[in-house]
């Protein structure tokens, strides 16, 4: 068990991205005596603006680098006395994974292999791998628990499943102290616009329609980012080594209903009859999972439960978007462009 009262150096990969930056801010607030290293290659969906408040502080350090650069990663662990690793860096845009599956496998699986190998050689005291509920595949009935088999259905989740297997193999063979987390869809301030909630809010701000893939009947569980980072710290402090923890929420909403709700909350004087005027149905992705239900009882037993309701979380998210309309550069509507900009950058430290 890691002693949080001691001083530690924590490496967060993908720390300039959405989840990584929120995690770093939470770590800095909770453990002000710890040193935090942010490793990121500053791909299109990352920004150091996310962590401007930590610039110049003695306990925070940004390093520009790539998790897929083996020589760089080995040198990093040999020169920094790293105690804890939160591996958040990944390629995560599912639509892009169908176009470039080898790139996703390279970053998500090969990059994880390089990182966990270097961490093992450096005798890191805890390695936490941030995975996804998508490794389970879809279920229309029973929710998944941590013993459910992996059944990934797209290149992104397949690469994440492969990375999980690499990480857990170090526990099984060497008892290297790893923990894996699998979370629902995460949302909140500063999320890049390719994800569904910021994408719709950005389109509405530009007086454009929300592009709903397929029928829109597919539903997702949405977890506010502060609840996720709190779960990470619970796992860090109380998690059992070699275990997997689901980080989930009971709130579930069909994507078509999500689009209508965001329109209703952000467009002035819009009537219920006008909501669908703001929606445009577009071609679905090659494989569509209808839902990813899962239980988080194992994490609840450690004392964690989500605290931020959907009503409060989406209110905070909308408020941030209204106050920061130019935080991210505009990206094309999917009708205008099928691929996300910069998807051909290899070695991304992109986070959810």
């Amino acid at each position: 068990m890691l002693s949080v009262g001691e001083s530690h150096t924590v490496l967060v990969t993908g720390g300039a991205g959405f989840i990584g930056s929120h995690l770093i801010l939470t770590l800095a607030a909770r453990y002000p005596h710890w040193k935090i290293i942010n490793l990121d290659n500053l791909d299109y969906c990352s920004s150091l603006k996310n962590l401007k408040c930590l610039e110049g502080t003695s306990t925070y350090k940004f390093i520009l680098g790539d998790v897929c650069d083996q020589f760089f990663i080995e040198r990093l662990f040999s020169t920094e006395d790293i105690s804890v690793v939160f591996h958040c860096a990944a390629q995560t845009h599912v639509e892009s994974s169908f176009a470039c599956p080898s790139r996703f496998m390279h970053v998500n699986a090969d990059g994880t292999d390089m990182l966990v190998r270097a961490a093992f050689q450096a005798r890191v005291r805890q390695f936490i791998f941030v995975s996804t509920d998508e490794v389970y595949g879809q279920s229309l009935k029973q929710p998944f628990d941590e013993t459910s088999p992996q059944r990934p259905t797209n290149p992104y989740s397949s690469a994440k499943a492969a990375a999980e297997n690499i990480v857990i193999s170090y526990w099984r063979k060497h008892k290297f102290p790893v923990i894996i987390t699998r979370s629902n869809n995460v949302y909140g301030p500063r999320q890049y616009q390719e994800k569904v909630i910021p994408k719709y809010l950005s389109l509405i701000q530009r007086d454009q329609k929300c592009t709903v893939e397929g029928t829109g009947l597919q539903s997702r569980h949405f977890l506010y980012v502060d609840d996720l980072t709190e779960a990470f710290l619970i796992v860090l402090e109380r998690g059992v080594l070699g275990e997997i923890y689901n980080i989930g929420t009971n709130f579930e909403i069909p994507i078509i209903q999500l689009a209508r709700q965001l329109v209703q909350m952000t467009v002035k004087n819009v009537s219920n009859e006008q909501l669908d005027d703001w929606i445009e149905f577009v071609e679905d992705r090659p494989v569509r999972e209808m839902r990813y239900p899962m239980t988080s009882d194992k994490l609840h037993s450690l004392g964690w439960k989500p605290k931020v309701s959907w009503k409060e979380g989406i209110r905070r998210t909308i408020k941030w978007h209204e106050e920061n309309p130019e935080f991210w550069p505009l990206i094309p509507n999917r009708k205008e462009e099928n691929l996300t900009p910069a998807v051909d950058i290899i070695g991304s430290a992109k986070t959810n």
Side-chain angles (χ1 to χ4, degrees), residues 56-74:
T57 60
S58 60
T59 56
Y60 169 74
K61 181 179 182 179
F62 169 68
I63 297 177
L64 179 66
D66 192 328
V67 296
C68 293
D69 185 334
Q70 183 175 353
F71 175 78
F72 165 78
I73 291 297
E74 290 175 352

Side-chain angles (χ1 to χ4, degrees), residues 11 39 63-80 82 106 110-111 113-119 121-122:
L11 173 67
L39 170 63
I63 297 177
L64 179 66
D66 192 328
V67 296
C68 293
D69 185 334
Q70 183 175 353
F71 175 78
F72 165 78
I73 291 297
E74 290 175 352
R75 188 167 184 272
L76 174 66
F77 279 95
S78 67
T79 55
E80 301 284 351
I82 297 169
H106 175 62
D110 296 343
D113 181 31
M114 294 178 198
L115 191 73
V116 72
R117 186 188 317 153
Q121 292 171 348

Side-chain angles (χ1 to χ4, degrees), residues 22-69:
H22 279 275
L23 172 58
I24 286 175
L25 292 173
T26 304
L27 286 166
R30 186 71 59 88
Y31 315 113
H33 55 294
W34 289 14
K35 179 181 178 182
I36 302 171
I37 300 174
N38 170 14
L39 170 63
D40 201 297
N41 74 347
L42 296 184
D43 202 353
Y44 65 95
C45 54
S46 301
S47 175
L48 291 178
K49 292 188 293 183
N50 290 331
L51 296 159
K52 198 168 184 180
C53 63
L54 295 180
E55 289 180 3
T57 60
S58 60
T59 56
Y60 169 74
K61 181 179 182 179
F62 169 68
I63 297 177
L64 179 66
D66 192 328
V67 296
C68 293
D69 185 334

Side-chain angles (χ1 to χ4, degrees), residues 6-19:
E6 299 175 3
S7 294
H8 297 286
T9 297
V10 184
L11 173 67
V12 179
T13 68
F18 171 54
I19 289 175

Side-chain angles (χ1 to χ4, degrees), residues 196-346:
V196 64
I197 290 176
K199 179 174 76 171
Y200 286 173
L201 291 175
S202 175
L203 289 170
I204 293 167
Q205 282 182 331
R206 294 150 58 187
D207 291 324
Q208 295 184 18
K209 295 183 179 184
C210 299
T211 50
V212 175
E213 297 178 347
T215 64
L217 297 179
Q218 64 273 19
S219 63
R220 295 293 180 264
H221 292 77
F222 285 97
L223 177 70
Y224 190 67
V225 65
D226 288 357
D227 283 327
L228 177 68
T229 57
E230 183 64 26
F232 286 157
L233 299 198
I234 292 288
V235 167
L236 173 68
E237 295 179 5
R238 308 175 196 171
V240 177
L241 300 178
E243 292 293 323
I244 299 170
Y245 291 93
N246 288 343
I247 308 175
T249 172
N250 290 330
F251 178 78
E252 183 178 13
I253 186 171
I255 298 303
I256 183 66
Q257 185 179 335
L258 171 68
R260 289 170 179 151
Q261 187 171 345
L262 294 179
V263 170
Q264 195 170 42
M265 295 178 71
T266 55
V267 178
K268 292 182 179 180
N269 302 320
V270 64
S271 67
N272 290 335
E273 292 74 21
Q274 294 172 319
L275 293 179
D276 285 350
D277 294 339
W278 286 83
I279 293 172
E280 178 182 6
F281 291 95
V282 299
E283 182 182 357
D284 206 352
R285 69 194 194 195
V287 179
R288 168 63 63 191
E289 304 80 4
M290 295 305 292
R291 57 194 302 264
Y292 303 107
M294 66 182 190
T295 64
S296 302
D297 294 345
K298 193 171 174 181
L299 189 56
H300 294 172
S301 69
L302 299 183
W304 176 89
K305 286 189 178 180
K307 297 177 181 178
V308 181
S309 67
W310 168 254
K311 182 179 179 180
E312 175 60 19
I314 200 62
R315 184 196 67 79
R316 295 181 193 177
T317 304
I318 290 172
K319 184 175 185 290
W320 182 87
H321 276 267
E322 291 173 345
E323 294 175 349
N324 300 273
E326 298 180 359
F327 187 88
W328 294 110
L330 294 179
I331 61 174
N333 188 325
R334 184 173 173 179
K335 182 180 178 182
E336 302 162 1
E337 183 65 58
N338 288 328
L339 289 179
T340 304
V343 294
D344 58 350
I345 295 178
I346 296 177

Side-chain angles (χ1 to χ4, degrees), residues 130-162:
V130 179
S131 191
T132 172
D133 57 0
E134 292 199 36
V135 299
Y136 291 122
Q138 84 165 354
S139 173
L140 300 179
K141 295 181 180 179
Q142 293 299 320
F144 300 110
D145 64 24
E146 291 83 353
T147 65
S148 299
Q150 294 178 337
R151 291 196 178 100
T153 57
N154 58 64
Y156 159 65
S157 57
S158 296
K160 276 291 194 178

